[in-house]
């Protein structure tokens, strides 16, 4: 298999044996980008010179006999809503088209400390608002499995880059499913950690009580390696949990005997593609045959997750995005009559239609006459959703569900109906509202398109998720399949 399609741990083994160099890996990935990026459009910004300089630095350390970390020399893509010192960070929005941060996000610092090679910044739905990457302010990213279909969103660029061989691993952010859903659509592994497990410092905020950074990888082993690199307490983030982080690779055991896995009936009912249900049924059957105890369960308030999310997230967004006014940084209109006109024209010209829709929705929900009826009520329902999960985890170790109700849909299929687009995240939203960890792994194919299985864990139960996902992976080959471009 080509270098650009290997996993990080496979490449690390070749590196330490000196059978290849970090520069050769870097060149293989950039050659792949040169070959397919015109079709995929995964990247907003490429950092070619910086990447090769970093790769040569890793090679010098290896030549000098230094021990290097497991991710040293591995090309990584970063979603374009994470600050990268000296490298443009746009959130795929016209309003930040020229923003160059003077500092790194904590996760970027951690990946640099782990020796990774940043390839570039990936395309996304503007300010992470969307489920298809069609809301990017610049261009639409294609799904490597079918160029006429979307890669999911909002982290579609990161998922597509890993699936297409344009990066070995990547970072995305997940506010309502924006790592897990594109991972499912692109046939890769995507994990949303527990809220507070990974620092949000330097992540451009969408909805601060929901946002979380996590990895895209080709297999579960790489996912554990990435978690080892990015998890941990950060005093720069007040929501970062002061907890000891385990070595997640120690959780990679081919063993689910005695684990209790619940299948919430709400995620296997109306609105889920029958072919997706069949694949999830086969996956649960496999886990049962390996010794897991499978049982149906219920999360009764999860049917309210969609309206709850679309009150809380836009409300937080309307507050977070108030800072983009043309005064401090980013885009500023050139034809303003006065300062108020400048504010209005800057925001109306700089934001795309979906961002404007959510700002208006959030501002309305927070307004004096409606706060109690909408936002406060949504917070109460959020608590009920969290309590459903708490009750389920008194009995089960892991919950299992589809990641998305269908495989990747065609470009333009849902752009005219925002509610249909919002339904794309119906299986993932509740996990963010409850602050739980969730992972999507490839579980099968429908008409040549990948289908993802979602595993949901207890708070800070990423280790158990990795164990179940790793076991499933050892008995299937879906994660080894690659798109033909």
């Amino acid at each position: 298999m080509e270098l650009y399609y290997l996993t990080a741990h496979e490449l690390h083994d070749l590196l330490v044996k000196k059978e290849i160099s970090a520069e050769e890996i870097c060149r293989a990935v950039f050659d792949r980008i040169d070959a397919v990026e015109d079709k995929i459009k995964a990247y907003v910004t490429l950092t070619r010179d910086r990447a090769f300089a970093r790769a040569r630095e890793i090679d010098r350390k290896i030549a000098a006999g230094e021990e290097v970390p497991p991710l040293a020399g591995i090309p990584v893509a970063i979603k374009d809503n994470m600050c990268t010192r000296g490298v443009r960070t746009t959130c795929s929005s016209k309003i930040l088209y020229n923003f160059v941060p003077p500092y790194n996000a904590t996760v970027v610092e951690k990946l640099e400390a782990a020796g990774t090679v940043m390839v570039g910044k990936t395309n996304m739905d503007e300010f992470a608002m969307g489920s298809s990457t069609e809301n990017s302010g610049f261009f639409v990213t294609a799904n490597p499995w079918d160029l006429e279909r979307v890669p999911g969103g909002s982290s579609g660029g990161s998922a597509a880059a890993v699936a297409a061989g344009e990066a070995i691993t990547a970072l995305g952010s997940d506010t309502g499913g924006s790592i897990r859903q594109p991972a499912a659509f692109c046939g890769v592994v995507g994990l949303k950690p527990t809220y507070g497990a990974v620092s949000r410092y330097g992540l451009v905020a969408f909805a601060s009580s929901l946002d979380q950074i996590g990895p895209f990888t080709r297999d579960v082993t790489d996912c554990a390696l990435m978690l080892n690199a990015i998890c941990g307490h950060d005093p720069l983030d007040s929501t970062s949990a002061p907890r000891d982080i385990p070595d997640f690779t120690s959780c990679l055991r081919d063993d689910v005997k005695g684990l209790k896995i619940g299948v919430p009936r709400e995620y296997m009912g109306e609105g889920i593609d029958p072919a997706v249900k069949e694949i999830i049924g086969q996956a649960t059957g496999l886990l049962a045959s390996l010794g897991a105890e499978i049982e149906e369960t219920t999360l009764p308030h999860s049917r309210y997750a969609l309206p709850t999310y679309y009150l809380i997230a836009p409300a937080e967004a309307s507050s977070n995005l108030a800072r983009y006014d043309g005064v401090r940084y980013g885009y500023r209109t050139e034809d303003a009559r006065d300062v108020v006109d400048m504010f209005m024209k800057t925001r109306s010209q700089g934001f795309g239609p979906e961002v404007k829709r959510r700002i208006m929705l959030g501002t309305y929900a927070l307004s004096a006459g409606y706060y109690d009826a909408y936002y406060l009520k949504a917070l109460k329902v959020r608590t009920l959703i969290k309590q459903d999960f708490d009750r389920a985890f008194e009995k089960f170790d892991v919950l299992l569900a589809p990641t998305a109700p269908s495989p990747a849909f065609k470009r333009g299929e849902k752009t005219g109906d925002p509610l249909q687009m919002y339904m794309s995240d119906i299986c993932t939203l509740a996990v963010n509202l409850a602050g739980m960890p969730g992972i999507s792994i490839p579980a099968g194919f429908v008409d040549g398109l990948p289908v993802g299985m979602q595993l949901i864990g207890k708070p800070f139960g990423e280790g158990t998720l990795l164990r179940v996902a790793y076991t499933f992976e050892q008995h299937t080959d879906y994660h080894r399949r690659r798109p033909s471009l």
Side-chain angles (χ1 to χ4, degrees):
M1 192 177 284
E2 301 287 352
L3 286 181
Y4 55 76
Y5 267 153
L6 296 181
T7 62
H9 58 92
E10 289 168 337
L11 291 169
H12 176 75
D13 291 345
L14 295 172
L15 264 178
V16 295
K17 291 176 187 173
K18 299 185 180 178
E19 294 180 16
I20 57 170
S21 67
E23 186 172 356
E24 286 175 303
I25 298 171
C26 192
R27 182 166 292 109
V29 167
F30 273 105
D31 285 348
R32 179 64 169 174
I33 290 170
D34 291 340
V36 303
E37 177 61 8
D38 281 350
K39 299 176 185 175
I40 303 297
K41 297 189 180 300
Y43 287 95
V44 173
T45 303
L46 289 168
T47 53
R48 193 181 301 259
D49 292 344
R50 176 172 167 161
F52 277 105
R54 178 71 164 157
R56 293 183 191 110
E57 181 187 333
I58 298 299
D59 285 337
R60 285 193 292 271
K61 290 182 178 181
I62 294 172
E66 291 184 34
E67 189 175 337
V68 294
L71 291 174
I74 301 302
V76 175
I78 307 292
K79 186 176 180 180
D80 205 25
N81 61 348
M82 298 171 208
C83 288
T84 42
R85 183 172 51 243
V87 178
R88 200 168 61 122
T89 300
T90 69
C91 293
S92 290
S93 177
K94 183 179 177 181
I95 211 159
L96 281 177
Y97 79 103
N98 61 356
F99 175 58
V100 179
Y103 69 97
N104 278 330
T106 295
V107 287
V108 174
E109 289 284 350
K110 283 176 173 277
L111 285 181
E112 287 196 358
T116 62
V117 175
M118 184 175 76
V119 174
K121 308 294 292 293
T122 55
N123 195 30
M124 55 186 281
D125 285 297
E126 185 180 4
F127 282 100
M129 298 180 191
S131 306
S132 64
T133 315
E134 291 171 290
N135 291 330
S136 168
F138 303 137
F139 45 79
V140 178
T141 298
N143 188 317
W145 292 92
D146 181 345
L147 300 178
E148 297 300 313
R149 294 179 186 267
V150 301
S154 63
S155 309
S158 289
V162 173
E166 295 187 87
I168 306 301
T169 69
L171 286 184
S173 65
D174 192 311
T175 307
S178 290
I179 290 173
R180 290 158 290 152
Q181 185 248 29
F185 279 10
C186 291
V188 297
V189 175
L191 186 142
K192 172 222 169 288
T194 307
Y195 185 80
V198 176
S199 172
R200 292 185 300 111
Y201 179 75
L203 172 70
V204 178
F206 163 17
S208 305
S209 75
L210 300 163
D211 298 339
Q212 189 65 142
I213 295 169
F216 289 96
T217 60
R218 298 218 173 93
D219 68 6
V220 177
T221 302
D222 280 6
C223 188
L225 292 171
M226 286 288 282
L227 281 183
N228 280 348
I230 65 174
C231 284
H233 180 246
D234 178 16
L236 297 174
D237 175 7
S238 62
T239 61
S240 174
R243 294 174 62 98
D244 293 332
I245 300 299
D247 175 4
F248 289 107
T249 59
S250 67
C251 305
L252 303 176
R253 304 200 308 277
D254 183 2
D255 176 24
V256 291
K257 289 185 180 67
L259 279 181
K260 294 180 178 176
I261 299 177
V263 181
R265 67 174 66 101
E266 290 79 9
Y267 294 143
M268 294 293 283
E270 188 180 348
I272 307 299
D273 186 318
V276 171
K277 285 186 200 177
E278 185 178 341
I279 284 173
I280 298 304
Q282 292 168 356
T284 55
L286 174 60
L287 290 170
S289 72
L290 296 171
E293 298 174 23
I294 311 286
E295 189 179 323
E296 187 180 75
T297 186
T298 183
L299 299 169
H301 294 96
S302 64
R303 63 195 176 109
Y304 302 116
L306 188 73
T308 300
Y309 175 88
Y310 278 102
L311 285 168
I312 292 174
E316 294 185 16
S318 75
S319 174
N320 280 325
L321 271 60
R323 70 193 70 173
Y324 304 109
D325 53 14
V327 175
R328 300 165 186 82
Y329 47 77
Y331 172 78
R332 179 190 291 183
T333 186
E334 295 179 357
D335 60 346
R337 296 187 308 274
D338 53 43
V339 68
V340 173
D341 193 45
M342 188 268 286
F343 288 156
M344 293 173 67
K345 285 183 176 173
T346 292
R347 289 170 68 81
S348 92
Q349 295 166 12
F351 288 135
E354 182 62 28
V355 175
K356 291 176 187 172
R357 184 180 294 120
R358 297 201 195 191
I359 289 173
M360 288 189 288
L361 182 60
T363 304
Y364 181 80
L366 290 173
S367 58
Y370 300 98
Y371 181 94
D372 288 355
Y374 293 113
Y375 182 68
L376 189 60
K377 181 64 67 75
L379 292 180
K380 291 176 179 177
V381 177
R382 182 181 191 174
T383 300
L384 295 175
I385 291 169
K386 170 73 163 62
Q387 289 171 350
D388 283 349
F389 278 104
D390 291 341
R391 277 190 291 273
F393 284 121
E394 288 173 5
K395 181 175 182 181
F396 298 103
D397 299 298
V398 169
L399 300 179
L400 185 155
T403 307
S406 69
F409 48 87
K410 289 199 169 179
R411 194 183 301 184
E413 187 177 315
K414 300 188 180 185
T415 48
D417 187 347
L419 286 178
Q420 275 299 309
M421 185 71 80
Y422 296 166
M423 290 293 288
S424 304
D425 295 324
I426 194 70
C427 299
T428 53
L429 293 171
V431 178
N432 296 78
L433 290 168
M436 305 290 181
I439 187 172
S440 177
I441 58 174
F445 286 79
V446 172
D447 298 329
L449 298 172
V451 172
M453 174 174 71
Q454 179 179 206
L455 300 168
I456 304 163
K458 300 174 183 178
F460 302 99
E462 285 84 354
T464 306
L465 293 184
L466 291 171
R467 176 183 164 189
V468 177
Y470 181 79
T471 300
F472 182 82
E473 204 176 68
Q474 298 313 297
H475 297 270
T476 57
D477 71 345
Y478 306 121
H479 64 290
R480 297 190 181 280
R481 300 188 192 179
R482 304 286 184 258
S484 57
L485 283 165

